[in-house]
Amino acid sequence: MAASDKQNTLDYINQMFPTEASLSGVEPLMQKIHSEIRRVDAEILTAVRQQSNSGTKAREDLAAATSAVQELMNKIREIKTKAEQSETMVQEICRDIKKLDFAKKHITTTITALHRLTMLVSAVEQLQVMASKRHYKEAAAQLEAVNQLCSHFEAYRDIPKITELREKFKSIKQVLKSHVFSDFSSLGTGKETEESNLLQQLSDACLVVDALEPSVREELVKNFCNRELTSYQQIFEGAELAKLDKTERRYAWIKRRLRTNEEIWKIFPRSWHVDYLLCIQFCKLTRSQLVEILVSMKEKPDVATLLTALQRTLEFEEELAEKFGGGTRSKDADDDNEDTERSGNKSQTVSDIRKKYEKKLAAHDGSQHEEQDGQKDSSVPGAGFNFRGIISSCFEPHLSVYIELEEKTLMDSLEKEMLEETWEIEEGSQTNILSSSIKVFVIIRRSLKRCSALTRNQTLFNLFKAFQKVLKAYATKLFARLPKGGTGIVAAATGIEGQIKTSDKDERVICYIVNTAEYCHKTCGELADNVSKLIDAQFADRVDMSEVQDEFSAVNTKSLITLVHGIETKFDSEMAAMTRVPWSTLESVGDQSDYVNGINLILTSSIPVLGSLLSPIYFQFFLDKLASSLGPRFYHNIFKCKQISETGAQQMLLDTQAVKTILLEIPSLGKQTAGAASYSKFVGREMSKAEALLKVILSPIDSVADTYCALLPEGTLTEFQRLLELKGLKKADQQSILDDFNKRGSGISQPTIMAPSSAPNTSIAPVITNTAASPGAITSREDVLTRAAALGRGAATTGFKRFLALTEAAKDRKDGPFRKLFNG
């Protein structure tokens, strides 16, 4: 017994008998418990007995179920046996019935076959009589009946009687075919007017042809077409009409033939499409004859004659496409017909012919028609046969004379437009491009329309190459109009010698040329896209205007550089005036010098016009080139001056800052400030060299070498020597400084001047990075540069005394970078 059970028992006893007095109730409690135990034992005994009885009953039920299943199986086997016996009995009963059924079926089939055979024999005999009497209408119906009856005897081909009937039927069909062909041979000979019933008889004969094999109909139509075209072939192979200028008469002949025989040809069923097939044969025959004419020509064909023949051919093909489906006529083509009717005569000029072609936009693809004809069903209109190009494609190899004429016309038009070009923009124009460029592209588009109406194959591609030549010639003429000559840094870079002197009109013209070249560059791309969409796929990948666009891009670049040349040339007098200023004898620092005012006047008169005419991207390019030209030029112009005193250097530094301010204000002056931030950095970088040079000139003699190395790390010994001459040092005094410069140059690494930020009226303080340190290097160059910047500001404000005060204060210090700088 578990401890918990014991604990529970004790708890129960203590609960029942909490005190000694309660022990008196033990005996009654014990009796009650014994009574409960006896009751539970009785229930258990009853349950055990019931369970024993249930097991016995279950075994009895299982045995009964097993016996029932066995009995059921026996009954199933008995039923299966009886079913097999019944099936055998039914088969024995039905055996004789099946024999009778098959016999009935065979007798029925035999009777039906004999009946059909009788009908076939009778029908063949009747058909033979009808064929001999040429009763085509009845024979056509009888043919259908015989064909249906013959189809029932396909399985009896080996039976002699059936074979005999089939051979007889075949011979009757051959007789009918010969009769029909014989009767149709009289069509077109005039007998139809003499014999009133001939057309009806031929119409009935068409019913017989439909009842015969499809090959009979094809052969009949082919013979008819060949007979109709025999006279055409004889007429136009003669010496008189076998000429290119007689091409129109060919088409007039077939139109007249179709119109004259329209009523007679109604004897043919519409499903035969005789006129359609006749036109196809006519086109193929005409093409072969025209090819022979073109190949046999000893000289190049006359352009007017060639284009007239091609135009009439295209018109005829368009009419056929409309008549037989597979094509729609455009409004431009209708307008073209009106022009043709108005012109009337055959002595049209080439110009008149080209004007008419301008209105035609339909495509004419003929290079692959013969190959496609073998793959598509041409017997039914609209089934895939394309009349467009079936004849006109034979002109393709001979259109080189047309392209030569187009190219010559384009070149002549270009020359005319260039002669009439005023190099001015019409008042109120928003494009600022030359009118000649617009007219040139209008002429090219007209030429493209004319040619695309004729062909979209090799000829159109050859015309595209002519467009390239014309546009390259136009780019050359634009370049030739630019002012020639030039000097300075830009001239050295471009290899152009001589000065470029530009007036205000020249500057405007240059801007017009820039805008025109950009317009041409863009329009060339659009032209190439249009040609790619029009031309055949095999040429589309070869349509490329990149070379022409490069030509116009070169014109743009050369124009902008020329513009910078012109401005630079205007600065020549101001640069010369700068060198003539007596910098060594100036007594005080005043306002900015006259040459600075001259530079300002030049820019204020030119920049607003240029800003209004140039696009932002080209104006920015111009500004960058101008800054890269004027900055170095101003720097080198300082070396061209004679001796410069401290006061002169202060005045020149003030002028330098004024020039930089003027340059920084150019974007605002031109009203184009989109790229002002990058331009300001560019100007600051270029002008900082001149400021640094002047700060070196202002430095004391004993520190000039270190200041030069700090502010102009890329400076050369030659420039340093020239700088000493500007300071007024004699040759003997220069030698010791040069020696000291050489010594310091070997020990001091060359720092790099970073692009400084700049703003108007603010001096430049370049940030110098010391890339390598050596034992003799200056420990802190930032202090040197700070003093140099202060020097520049002081020179521009309070003069040289402030600089002396700074240097003296540095010398009094026992340590620090300036002390080391002055003491070495």
Side-chain angles (χ1 to χ4, degrees):
M1 187 174 180
S4 60
D5 295 338
K6 292 180 179 181
Q7 184 64 36
N8 292 336
T9 303
L10 291 175
D11 292 340
Y12 179 74
I13 293 172
N14 291 331
Q15 183 180 2
M16 295 299 295
F17 306 103
T19 59
E20 291 183 1
S22 60
L23 292 176
S24 59
V26 171
E27 190 64 26
L29 179 61
M30 289 297 292
Q31 291 177 358
K32 182 179 179 181
I33 291 174
H34 283 302
S35 176
E36 186 68 23
I37 290 172
R38 285 193 297 271
R39 186 184 62 80
V40 172
D41 288 343
E43 290 179 357
I44 293 173
L45 181 59
T46 302
V48 169
R49 288 174 179 173
Q50 289 178 353
Q51 183 64 31
S52 177
N53 294 334
S54 298
T56 302
K57 186 177 180 182
R59 285 192 294 271
E60 292 174 354
D61 292 342
L62 179 60
T66 303
S67 176
V69 169
Q70 188 65 34
E71 184 179 355
L72 180 60
M73 292 296 291
N74 292 334
K75 290 181 178 181
I76 291 174
R77 281 194 293 270
E78 183 180 352
I79 292 171
K80 184 177 181 182
T81 302
K82 290 180 178 180
E84 291 174 354
Q85 293 174 355
S86 299
E87 183 179 1
T88 302
M89 186 182 299
V90 170
Q91 288 178 353
E92 291 176 356
I93 294 171
C94 293
R95 185 179 293 115
D96 296 334
I97 296 176
K98 286 184 178 180
K99 291 180 181 180
L100 294 174
D101 185 52
F102 284 131
K104 179 183 177 182
K105 183 177 181 181
H106 291 160
I107 291 172
T108 303
T109 303
T110 302
I111 293 172
T112 302
L114 290 173
H115 180 64
R116 288 174 177 171
L117 179 60
T118 303
M119 292 174 62
L120 177 60
V121 172
S122 175
V124 169
E125 291 176 354
Q126 292 175 13
L127 180 61
Q128 188 174 16
V129 174
M130 294 174 185
S132 62
K133 294 181 179 181
R134 298 190 177 184
H135 293 170
Y136 293 130
K137 189 172 184 180
E138 295 79 1
Q142 196 70 8
L143 271 173
E144 293 291 342
V146 174
N147 282 327
Q148 291 182 6
L149 288 171
C150 285
S151 65
H152 296 295
F153 292 95
E154 289 294 329
Y156 307 103
R157 283 178 172 271
D158 298 335
I159 298 175
K161 183 61 178 178
I162 300 300
T163 303
E164 179 184 350
L165 285 173
R166 293 178 70 87
E167 289 298 327
K168 186 176 181 180
F169 178 51
K170 183 176 180 181
S171 63
I172 294 173
K173 289 196 292 184
Q174 191 64 33
V175 170
L176 280 171
K177 176 181 175 182
S178 62
H179 288 341
V180 170
F181 276 57
S182 175
D183 291 346
F184 267 101
S185 64
S186 61
L187 184 63
T189 60
K191 289 185 179 181
E192 60 270 11
T193 58
E194 299 175 1
E195 301 179 15
S196 59
N197 63 338
L198 178 60
L199 292 180
Q200 182 60 44
Q201 184 178 358
L202 293 179
S203 178
D204 295 341
C206 291
L207 300 177
V208 173
V209 174
D210 275 335
L212 295 173
E213 291 79 5
S215 60
V216 177
R217 186 189 69 185
E218 294 175 3
E219 184 180 353
L220 177 64
V221 174
K222 183 177 180 181
N223 290 343
F224 170 76
C225 293
N226 290 337
R227 190 167 61 253
E228 285 290 325
L229 294 176
T230 299
S231 59
Y232 166 77
Q233 192 169 3
Q234 293 172 351
I235 292 172
F236 288 95
E237 280 185 351
E240 183 180 354
L241 295 178
K243 297 179 181 179
L244 197 60
D245 56 355
K246 306 297 183 183
T247 303
E248 186 176 4
R249 296 184 62 177
R250 296 173 177 270
Y251 308 133
W253 182 91
I254 188 64
K255 292 177 186 178
R256 184 169 59 253
R257 194 70 176 172
L258 292 171
R259 186 171 55 253
T260 303
N261 297 326
E262 183 177 4
E263 291 297 325
I264 298 176
W265 290 354
K266 287 184 179 180
I267 62 174
F268 296 108
R270 294 179 60 86
S271 61
W272 285 21
H273 308 295
V274 174
D275 54 348
Y276 171 72
L277 297 174
L278 176 64
C279 289
I280 291 178
Q281 290 295 105
F282 170 82
C283 290
K284 292 181 178 179
L285 179 58
T286 302
R287 175 187 172 89
S288 63
Q289 291 184 347
L290 289 177
V291 168
E292 185 177 353
I293 292 173
L294 290 169
V295 171
S296 61
M297 296 181 72
K298 297 180 180 179
E299 299 180 355
K300 290 184 177 181
D302 178 68
V303 178
T305 303
L306 180 66
L307 296 184
T308 302
L310 179 55
Q311 180 192 12
R312 300 295 179 258
T313 302
L314 293 171
E315 291 172 354
F316 177 67
E317 290 175 349
E318 187 69 27
E319 290 176 7
L320 293 182
E322 284 188 355
K323 181 179 179 63
F324 299 112
T328 57
R329 194 166 189 83
S330 64
K331 181 178 181 298
D332 292 333
D334 294 334
D335 294 341
D336 182 62
N337 279 343
E338 293 175 6
D339 290 344
T340 304
E341 294 172 359
R342 286 196 298 266
S343 60
N345 61 70
K346 298 181 180 178
S347 59
Q348 296 169 308
T349 65
V350 176
S351 176
D352 293 335
I353 294 173
R354 290 206 311 271
K355 287 180 181 178
K356 286 181 287 183
Y357 295 153
E358 178 184 342
K359 299 181 180 179
K360 299 183 71 66
L361 298 174
H364 301 280
D365 180 10
S367 62
Q368 301 177 351
H369 279 303
E370 291 184 359
E371 179 180 348
Q372 294 172 351
D373 290 348
Q375 300 174 354
K376 296 181 179 179
D377 181 11
S378 62
S379 63
V380 180
F385 188 85
N386 188 3
F387 279 103
R388 292 188 179 91
I390 186 173
I391 303 175
S392 59
S393 59
C394 72
F395 290 88
E396 184 74 29
H398 307 278
L399 289 175
S400 58
V401 291
Y402 164 67
I403 297 302
E404 292 171 2
L405 177 64
E406 284 285 2
E407 183 175 342
K408 182 178 183 303
T409 304
L410 289 172
M411 286 296 186
D412 293 343
S413 299
L414 175 62
E415 293 294 337
K416 178 184 177 183
E417 294 300 332
M418 297 309 296
L419 290 175
E420 296 177 354
E421 179 60 70
T422 61
W423 303 100
E424 289 289 347
I425 301 301
E426 297 180 2
E427 186 176 355
S429 174
Q430 300 296 324
T431 57
N432 293 325
I433 61 177
L434 299 174
S435 60
S436 59
S437 63
I438 300 175
K439 294 177 180 178
V440 166
F441 277 103
V442 168
I443 296 170
I444 287 177
R445 288 191 179 98
R446 290 174 179 172
S447 178
L448 177 61
K449 287 183 178 180
R450 288 194 295 269
C451 187
S452 63
L454 300 174
T455 174
R456 301 192 177 190
N457 295 309
Q458 182 67 47
T459 302
L460 182 57
F461 183 70
N462 292 339
L463 181 65
F464 172 74
K465 292 192 288 188
F467 293 161
Q468 290 178 315
K469 294 179 183 178
V470 172
L471 291 172
K472 286 181 179 179
Y474 185 60
T476 302
K477 292 184 180 297
L478 290 179
F479 177 68
R481 178 59 179 80
L482 296 173
K484 299 297 185 293
T487 57
I489 295 176
V490 177
T494 58
I496 303 175
E497 297 180 356
Q499 289 185 332
I500 295 181
K501 295 182 179 180
T502 56
S503 62
D504 292 343
K505 179 181 179 181
D506 290 334
E507 291 177 357
R508 291 197 305 273
V509 170
I510 293 173
C511 292
Y512 298 151
I513 292 175
V514 170
N515 295 332
T516 301
E518 176 63 18
Y519 166 76
C520 293
H521 183 283
K522 178 182 177 182
T523 311
C524 282
E526 296 174 353
L527 176 63
D529 292 339
N530 291 337
V531 174
S532 297
K533 294 175 182 178
L534 291 174
I535 204 166
D536 284 351
Q538 59 179 327
F539 298 100
D541 294 338
R542 298 165 59 187
V543 175
D544 184 16
M545 274 286 187
S546 57
E547 290 186 7
V548 179
Q549 289 177 316
D550 291 343
E551 292 283 339
F552 286 111
S553 296
V555 171
N556 262 337
T557 303
K558 293 173 184 177
S559 300
L560 291 170
I561 291 178
T562 302
L563 193 60
V564 175
H565 265 272
I567 301 295
E568 188 183 40
T569 301
K570 291 182 179 181
F571 290 152
D572 287 348
S573 59
E574 308 306 328
M575 293 294 102
M578 176 181 174
T579 60
R580 290 195 297 267
V581 174
W583 299 106
S584 60
T585 59
L586 287 181
E587 297 179 356
S588 62
V589 177
D591 293 335
Q592 61 190 31
S593 302
D594 292 339
Y595 73 91
V596 177
N597 295 330
I599 292 174
N600 186 39
L601 180 62
I602 292 171
L603 294 176
T604 52
S605 63
S606 297
I607 295 302
V609 177
L610 302 182
S612 64
L613 296 178
L614 292 176
S615 63
I617 185 172
Y618 291 119
F619 186 72
Q620 183 65 37
F621 179 84
F622 164 76
L623 293 184
D624 292 343
K625 291 296 182 183
L626 182 63
S628 63
S629 170
L630 185 58
R633 186 178 183 187
F634 190 88
Y635 175 82
H636 290 290
N637 206 59
I638 296 176
F639 289 104
K640 295 180 181 180
C641 298
K642 297 180 181 179
Q643 183 178 350
I644 302 175
S645 64
E646 287 81 355
T647 304
Q650 295 170 24
Q651 180 64 47
M652 191 176 293
L653 184 60
L654 177 66
D655 293 344
T656 303
Q657 293 178 342
V659 171
K660 182 176 70 174
T661 301
I662 293 171
L663 292 177
L664 291 173
E665 291 176 349
I666 287 180
S668 300
L669 197 60
K671 296 181 179 180
Q672 294 195 25
T673 59
S678 60
Y679 170 74
S680 297
K681 293 180 180 179
F682 194 75
V683 170
R685 182 183 67 196
E686 295 297 330
M687 296 301 295
S688 64
K689 297 179 182 178
E691 292 180 334
L693 178 62
L694 293 172
K695 292 175 183 178
V696 174
I697 294 175
L698 284 170
S699 63
I701 297 299
D702 52 356
S703 64
V704 67
D706 287 309
T707 306
Y708 183 80
C709 292
L711 297 181
L712 296 171
E714 297 179 357
T716 64
L717 177 62
T718 303
E719 288 186 354
F720 182 67
Q721 187 173 2
R722 176 57 184 153
L723 185 146
L724 295 180
E725 293 175 359
L726 291 176
K727 289 180 69 66
L729 294 179
K730 297 180 180 179
K731 293 289 185 181
D733 298 333
Q734 292 179 16
Q735 190 59 45
S736 60
I737 299 176
L738 292 174
D739 294 340
D740 182 54
F741 174 79
N742 290 329
K743 292 179 181 178
R744 294 179 182 278
S746 63
I748 300 176
S749 64
Q750 296 298 315
T752 302
I753 298 182
M754 306 299 290
S757 59
S758 59
N761 299 325
T762 303
S763 63
I764 303 298
V767 179
I768 298 182
T769 304
N770 192 6
T771 57
S774 63
I778 300 176
T779 57
S780 177
R781 296 186 181 273
E782 287 78 1
D783 288 345
V784 176
L785 298 175
T786 302
R787 300 304 192 279
L791 168 62
R793 291 192 295 270
T797 54
T798 60
F800 192 63
K801 292 182 179 180
R802 183 172 180 180
F803 172 72
L804 293 178
L806 287 172
T807 54
E808 291 300 326
K811 289 181 180 179
D812 292 340
R813 296 180 57 184
K814 297 181 180 180
D815 56 0
F818 260 84
R819 183 67 177 175
K820 295 179 181 179
L821 176 65
F822 292 140
N823 294 338

